[in-house]
Short mmCIF file of all heavy atoms in Angstrom, two decimals:
data_model
loop_
_atom_site.label_atom_id
_atom_site.label_comp_id
_atom_site.label_asym_id
_atom_site.label_seq_id
_atom_site.Cartn_x
_atom_site.Cartn_y
_atom_site.Cartn_z
N LYS A 5 4.24 -53.64 39.32
CA LYS A 5 4.25 -52.43 38.49
C LYS A 5 5.70 -52.11 38.11
O LYS A 5 6.59 -52.10 38.96
CB LYS A 5 3.62 -51.26 39.26
CG LYS A 5 3.68 -49.95 38.50
CD LYS A 5 4.77 -49.05 38.99
CE LYS A 5 5.04 -47.88 38.08
NZ LYS A 5 6.06 -46.98 38.59
N GLY A 8 8.87 -46.28 34.41
CA GLY A 8 9.39 -45.82 33.13
C GLY A 8 10.80 -46.29 32.81
O GLY A 8 11.08 -46.71 31.68
N SER A 38 4.45 -48.52 33.03
CA SER A 38 4.43 -47.09 32.70
C SER A 38 4.79 -46.92 31.24
O SER A 38 5.17 -47.88 30.57
CB SER A 38 5.51 -46.36 33.50
OG SER A 38 5.17 -46.29 34.84
N ALA A 39 4.72 -45.69 30.79
CA ALA A 39 5.21 -45.37 29.45
C ALA A 39 6.73 -45.51 29.47
O ALA A 39 7.36 -45.44 30.52
CB ALA A 39 4.83 -43.94 29.11
N THR A 44 6.10 -39.63 28.53
CA THR A 44 5.00 -38.76 29.00
C THR A 44 5.40 -37.29 28.87
O THR A 44 4.60 -36.46 28.41
CB THR A 44 4.63 -39.10 30.45
OG1 THR A 44 4.51 -40.52 30.55
CG2 THR A 44 3.33 -38.45 30.87
N GLU A 125 1.29 -45.03 27.87
CA GLU A 125 1.08 -46.31 28.55
C GLU A 125 0.38 -47.31 27.61
O GLU A 125 0.65 -48.52 27.68
CB GLU A 125 0.24 -46.12 29.81
CG GLU A 125 1.04 -45.88 31.09
CD GLU A 125 1.75 -44.54 31.18
OE1 GLU A 125 1.51 -43.68 30.31
OE2 GLU A 125 2.56 -44.34 32.10
N PHE A 188 -1.59 -45.58 34.96
CA PHE A 188 -1.82 -44.14 34.77
C PHE A 188 -3.19 -43.79 34.18
O PHE A 188 -3.74 -42.73 34.47
CB PHE A 188 -0.69 -43.62 33.87
CG PHE A 188 -0.56 -42.14 33.69
CD1 PHE A 188 -0.68 -41.26 34.75
CD2 PHE A 188 -0.25 -41.61 32.42
CE1 PHE A 188 -0.50 -39.89 34.56
CE2 PHE A 188 -0.07 -40.25 32.23
CZ PHE A 188 -0.20 -39.39 33.31
N GLY A 201 -2.71 -38.52 37.53
CA GLY A 201 -1.67 -37.64 38.08
C GLY A 201 -0.30 -38.17 37.72
O GLY A 201 -0.12 -39.39 37.61
N ARG A 202 0.67 -37.25 37.59
CA ARG A 202 2.02 -37.67 37.18
C ARG A 202 2.59 -38.68 38.17
O ARG A 202 2.48 -38.51 39.37
CB ARG A 202 2.96 -36.47 37.07
CG ARG A 202 2.66 -35.52 35.94
CD ARG A 202 2.66 -36.20 34.58
NE ARG A 202 3.83 -36.98 34.26
CZ ARG A 202 4.93 -36.50 33.69
NH1 ARG A 202 5.02 -35.25 33.38
NH2 ARG A 202 5.94 -37.31 33.40
N GLY A 203 3.18 -39.73 37.61
CA GLY A 203 3.70 -40.80 38.47
C GLY A 203 2.62 -41.77 38.88
O GLY A 203 2.82 -42.65 39.73
N GLY A 204 1.43 -41.65 38.25
CA GLY A 204 0.23 -42.35 38.72
C GLY A 204 0.17 -43.84 38.45
O GLY A 204 -0.75 -44.51 38.92
N SER A 205 1.13 -44.41 37.71
CA SER A 205 1.06 -45.85 37.45
C SER A 205 1.17 -46.66 38.74
O SER A 205 0.59 -47.74 38.86
CB SER A 205 2.16 -46.29 36.50
OG SER A 205 1.98 -45.66 35.26
N ASP A 206 1.91 -46.13 39.70
CA ASP A 206 1.99 -46.80 41.01
C ASP A 206 0.59 -46.92 41.60
O ASP A 206 0.21 -47.95 42.16
CB ASP A 206 2.81 -45.96 42.01
CG ASP A 206 4.24 -45.72 41.56
OD1 ASP A 206 4.76 -46.54 40.81
OD2 ASP A 206 4.82 -44.70 42.00
N1 LIG B 2 3.95 -42.15 32.67
C1 LIG B 2 3.35 -41.38 33.73
C2 LIG B 2 4.28 -40.27 34.16
O1 LIG B 2 5.38 -40.18 33.68
C3 LIG B 2 2.92 -42.23 34.87
C4 LIG B 2 3.99 -43.03 35.52
O2 LIG B 2 5.06 -43.23 34.96
O3 LIG B 2 3.77 -43.50 36.65
O4 LIG B 2 3.88 -39.48 34.98
#
Side-chain angles (χ1 to χ4, degrees):
K5 176 258 168 178
S38 289
T44 313
E125 268 70 8
F188 189 43
R202 291 304 308 273
S205 297
D206 299 334

